[in-house]
């Protein structure tokens, strides 16, 4: 195992092994020998340790559809080819944003350099493609039968050489990508690597053959004259014909019975042993590159849809929160072009109550805010053209409230359990996102519990966002201003009371229940028409034929 300082870790400012080095090394050895196939990379990455993080995925991953977000938005696109991500690994990396600020900044520098320097991005894409070619051959992902095991192993060593050479090209990188070049130089400086190059040159240039070709008027070869054969005597793997013949004679006299193929197999094993300790690093580098190139793929997809993404500025919690051109990544991932909106608050450690009609974009806004914070603290681009954000100590999201078959509590009890779990997991300074708090209870009970939750939240100074349909209650809280850290915003409606998916300060005057009922066909006239239609159908079905 190498010195930790030499590990080409692209996710942490202090390099470390996040994959299990020993088990990955063993898997690579077996796969190289042909004794294992499939899953070497994916299995190692699935078991990789996350970086140190205060965030708990159980509190937000399901409600933000994190796995689906990664699967639909983080595909790596190189030219016309698309590489589906190892979703389990990328979702895990995103679910544990680093606690250390220096790790966040380290990742931001890599993200910025990849976007700002097309040449560096191209090199990263070529390296990623090379590692994937090596991976496909190592794991035999094509399922093709290997007629010549030695030929396969030589090809694997050649792909390893190609990958190391591509890593060398990151010597001019200013970000953590320069670690790739340092790792390549370390690898190339070993005796094992030099022996591998000699063996590959032996395979490629065992001898130089000169000949003269005669072509007839009909374009066919009429004469082929061999001029000279010159062996590459400078290669340590090359012996003279006389020496090769004497060696075979000596071994035969001593009772050994093996052919040239077995000798080559032993040479390959010895050469691979000299470089095997560098192979597990390629597994970790592959996952790390996928993290950044997948994020760039998401950036490109947004740009193609006319949307702008950026690396946000991190500010203190007392500074204003600014998000301009914020859009929902989940919609984009499903082929729907989202409508961007702006959201600005005077500071971060506040509780924002969001009011407005159903289908006005409130839940989509909450999803956007959660994913934005997650991407920002992962060191990636956020779905907004401008952003000023404060770091959060954690994230708790509650958007999905499904009835469970074994549920013993009623609506009120279920909501109280939800609130209890919130405070059990909530750290001071965390981001809190709650959709329709207490909406399943009667108004008198719901408003009392709602106010209790909002008042208690202020003691933790969270970055909180809550939607509610208690419009009268929200209006009273806005008028009384007894909770200092409480802010209000509402869905902006168009001239015909249609949703604009924009937000403005204040409390909505109506939830537009009647408007929604008419849109969905639940007015008195519409229901009466359905009743009459069903009555006629029943009469027709009972008439004698």
């Amino acid at each position: 195992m190498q010195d930790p300082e030499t590990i080409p870790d692209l996710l942490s400012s202090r390099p470390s092994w996040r994959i299990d080095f020993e088990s990955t090394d063993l898997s690579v050895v077996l796969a190289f020998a042909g004794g294992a196939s499939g899953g070497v990379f994916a299995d190692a990455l699935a078991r990789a340790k996350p970086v140190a993080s205060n965030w708990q995925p159980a509190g937000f991953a399901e409600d933000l559809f994190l796995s689906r977000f990664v699967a639909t938005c983080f595909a790596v696109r190189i030219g016309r080819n698309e590489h589906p991500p190892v979703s389990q690994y990328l979702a895990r990396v995103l679910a544990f944003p680093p606690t250390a600020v220096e790790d966040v900044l380290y990742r931001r520098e890599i993200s910025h350099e990849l976007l700002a320097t097309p040449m560096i991005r191209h090199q990263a894409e070529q390296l990623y493609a090379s590692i994937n070619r090596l991976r496909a051959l190592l794991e035999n992902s094509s399922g093709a039968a290997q007629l010549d095991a030695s030929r396969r192993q030589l090809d694997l060593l050649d792909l390893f050489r190609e990958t190391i050479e591509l890593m060398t090209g990151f010597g001019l990188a200013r970000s953590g990508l320069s670690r790739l070049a340092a790792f390549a130089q370390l690898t190339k400086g070993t005796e094992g690597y030099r022996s591998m190059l000699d063996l590959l040159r032996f395979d490629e240039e065992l001898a130089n053959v000169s000949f003269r070709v005669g072509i007839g008027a009909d374009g066919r070869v009429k004469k082929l004259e061999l001029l000279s054969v010159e062996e590459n005597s400078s290669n340590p793997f090359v012996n003279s014909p006389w020496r090769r013949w004497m060696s075979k004679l000596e071994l035969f006299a001593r009772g050994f019975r093996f052919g040239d193929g077995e000798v080559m197999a032993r040479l390959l094993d010895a050469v691979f042993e000299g470089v095997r300790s560098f192979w597990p690093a390629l597994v970790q580098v592959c996952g790390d590159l996928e993290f950044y190139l997948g994020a760039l793929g998401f950036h490109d997809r947004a740009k193609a849809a006319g949307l702008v993404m950026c690396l946000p500025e991190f500010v203190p919690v007392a500074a204003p929160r600014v998000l301009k051109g914020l859009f929902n990544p989940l919609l984009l991932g499903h082929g729907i072009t989202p409508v961007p909106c702006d959201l600005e608050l005077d500071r971060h450690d506040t509780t924002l109550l969001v009011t407005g009609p159903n289908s006005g974009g409130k839940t989509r806004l909450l999803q956007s805010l959660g994913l934005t914070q997650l991407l920002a603290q992962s060191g990636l681009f956020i779905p907004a053209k401008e952003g000023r954000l404060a770091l959060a100590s954690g994230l708790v999201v509650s958007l999905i409230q499904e009835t469970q078959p074994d549920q013993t509590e009623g609506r009120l009890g279920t909501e109280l359990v939800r609130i209890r779990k919130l405070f059990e997991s909530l750290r001071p300074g965390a981001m809190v996102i709650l959709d329709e708090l207490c909406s399943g209870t009667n108004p008198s009970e719901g408003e009392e519990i709602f106010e209790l939750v909002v008042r208690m939240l202020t003691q933790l100074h969270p970055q909180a966002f809550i939607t509610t349909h208690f419009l009268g209650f929200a209006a009273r809280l806005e008028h009384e201003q007894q909770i200092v850290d409480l802010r209000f915003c509402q869905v902006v409606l168009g001239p015909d009371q249609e949703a604009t998916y924009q937000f403005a300060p204040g409390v909505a005057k109506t939830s537009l229940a009647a408007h929604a009922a008419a849109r969905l066909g639940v007015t008195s006239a519409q229901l009466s028409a359905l009743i009459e239609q069903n009555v006629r159908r029943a009469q027709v079905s009972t008439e004698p034929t």
Side-chain angles (χ1 to χ4, degrees):
M1 183 182 297
Q2 298 141 9
D3 183 339
E5 292 302 317
T6 66
I7 300 170
D9 186 351
L10 302 182
L11 296 186
S12 305
S13 57
R14 298 183 64 181
S16 65
W17 288 116
R18 285 172 283 104
I19 61 167
D20 185 321
F21 183 92
E22 284 77 11
S23 65
T24 304
D25 175 60
L26 178 59
S27 296
V28 168
V29 170
L30 292 174
F32 183 84
S37 64
V40 174
F41 278 59
D43 291 348
L45 292 173
R47 296 192 303 267
K49 297 180 297 185
V51 299
S53 176
N54 290 329
W55 290 39
Q56 299 298 321
F60 62 86
E62 183 179 356
D63 288 78
L64 291 181
F65 303 100
L66 186 57
S67 295
R68 189 183 305 175
F69 166 63
V70 168
T72 57
C73 293
F74 266 58
V76 178
R77 293 176 176 82
I78 301 176
R80 296 182 177 180
N81 298 321
E82 179 174 311
H83 301 266
V86 181
S87 299
Q88 183 179 0
Y89 171 72
L90 293 188
R92 186 172 174 81
V93 172
L94 281 174
F96 290 96
T99 298
V101 177
E102 53 267 30
D103 287 347
V104 180
L105 299 179
Y106 175 79
R107 296 181 183 190
R108 282 170 56 90
E109 290 174 356
I110 294 178
S111 296
H112 178 266
E113 184 166 40
L114 285 170
L115 183 65
T117 313
M119 181 187 70
I120 296 291
R121 176 177 179 176
H122 177 71
Q123 289 175 337
E125 291 172 340
Q126 295 307 303
L127 174 59
Y128 177 76
S130 178
I131 295 176
N132 271 284
R133 287 193 293 272
L134 185 149
R135 172 185 179 179
L137 184 58
L138 184 69
E139 299 179 348
N140 192 24
S141 58
S142 65
Q146 293 295 331
L147 300 179
D148 187 342
S150 294
R151 180 72 264 160
R152 169 181 173 272
Q153 291 177 338
L154 282 166
D155 290 344
L156 278 169
L157 291 175
D158 194 43
L159 282 170
F160 177 72
R161 176 198 58 78
E162 173 188 293
T163 299
I164 296 300
E165 288 297 330
L166 287 169
M167 284 185 171
T168 308
F170 290 90
L172 298 178
R174 294 178 175 271
S175 68
L177 291 168
S178 62
R179 284 180 178 171
L180 298 173
F183 175 79
Q185 293 299 336
L186 172 69
T187 306
K188 294 170 73 173
T190 62
E191 183 63 34
Y193 189 82
R194 287 191 290 270
S195 295
M196 183 193 76
L197 293 183
D198 287 336
L199 182 61
L200 290 174
R201 282 194 292 267
F202 168 76
D203 177 56
E204 295 170 358
E205 300 179 14
L206 176 61
N208 295 317
V209 179
S210 299
F211 54 89
R212 182 183 293 114
V213 180
I215 306 295
D218 58 357
R220 296 179 178 274
V221 176
K222 299 297 185 181
K223 182 180 181 180
L224 182 64
E225 180 182 357
L226 180 65
L227 300 179
S228 66
V229 177
E230 181 182 351
E231 289 196 330
N232 185 8
S233 59
S234 63
N235 191 295
F237 287 97
V238 177
N239 287 322
S240 66
W242 176 83
R243 180 58 188 160
R244 291 197 294 271
W245 184 83
M246 288 298 296
S247 297
K248 289 183 179 180
L249 183 62
E250 178 184 357
L251 291 170
F252 179 79
R254 295 172 63 182
F256 293 101
R257 302 289 187 272
F258 51 81
D260 292 341
E262 190 170 353
V263 173
M264 175 57 77
R266 296 296 182 268
L267 284 175
L268 285 166
D269 287 343
V271 167
F272 175 69
E273 188 64 28
V275 295
R276 62 176 276 193
S277 63
F278 299 103
W279 285 57
L282 303 186
V283 177
Q284 184 162 297
V285 168
C286 182
D288 293 356
L289 285 174
E290 195 164 86
F291 175 74
Y292 292 105
L293 295 178
L296 286 170
F298 178 37
H299 182 281
D300 293 344
R301 184 170 181 176
K303 184 177 180 180
L307 302 166
V308 182
M309 298 180 66
C310 72
L311 286 172
E313 176 187 355
F314 288 119
V315 298
V317 292
R321 176 191 296 271
V322 177
L323 286 168
K324 294 185 178 180
L326 175 68
F327 66 89
N328 189 298
L330 295 172
L331 291 177
L332 183 65
H334 286 84
I336 303 171
T337 302
V339 179
C341 67
D342 297 339
L343 184 70
E344 298 188 43
L345 294 170
D346 58 313
R347 56 186 298 124
H348 285 74
D349 53 347
T350 61
T351 298
L352 179 69
L353 295 190
V354 185
T355 56
N358 287 323
S359 302
K362 300 190 303 298
T363 302
R364 295 298 187 186
L365 173 66
L366 297 187
Q367 291 172 339
S368 303
L369 290 168
L371 288 170
T372 293
Q373 193 73 26
L374 186 62
L375 291 168
Q377 293 195 214
S378 295
L380 300 177
F381 306 97
I382 64 170
K385 66 179 181 181
E386 180 183 341
R388 288 195 285 279
L389 301 174
L391 294 171
S393 62
L395 176 62
V396 178
V397 181
S398 182
L399 303 180
I400 306 171
Q401 291 297 306
E402 298 179 348
T403 302
Q404 302 298 325
D406 58 349
Q407 184 172 303
T408 58
E409 299 288 348
R411 285 191 170 187
L412 175 59
T414 301
E415 187 68 356
L416 293 175
V417 170
R418 175 193 187 195
I419 293 168
R420 172 75 183 189
K421 289 182 177 179
L422 166 67
F423 281 94
E424 286 176 349
S425 58
L426 195 59
R427 299 169 60 91
M431 175 178 277
V432 183
I433 296 176
L434 300 174
D435 196 21
E436 303 297 350
L437 180 62
C438 298
S439 62
T441 62
N442 67 66
S444 60
E445 291 174 329
E447 292 177 6
E448 181 179 350
I449 298 170
F450 194 111
E451 185 167 1
L452 171 66
V453 171
V454 171
R455 289 186 181 277
M456 298 305 293
L457 277 176
T458 59
Q459 298 182 29
L460 294 169
H461 304 287
Q463 305 179 37
F465 300 87
I466 305 174
T467 63
T468 180
H469 278 301
F470 297 151
L471 302 185
F473 172 66
R476 177 173 66 80
L477 292 178
E478 182 187 36
H479 175 73
E480 293 175 350
Q481 296 186 352
Q482 292 184 2
I483 304 177
V484 178
D485 295 327
L486 198 56
R487 305 292 185 270
F488 304 85
C489 83
Q490 59 180 315
V491 173
V492 176
L493 298 175
D496 297 326
Q497 301 298 295
E498 76 280 4
T500 63
Y501 307 108
Q502 305 300 310
F503 300 85
V507 176
K509 300 298 186 292
T510 175
S511 62
L512 295 181
H515 186 271
R519 179 174 58 85
L520 298 174
V522 193
T523 64
S524 175
Q526 290 165 327
L527 294 179
S528 295
L530 291 175
I531 291 172
E532 292 177 4
Q533 178 180 328
N534 288 333
V535 169
R536 287 196 299 270
R537 286 177 179 172
Q539 291 173 343
V540 170
S541 64
T542 57
E543 290 178 357
T545 58

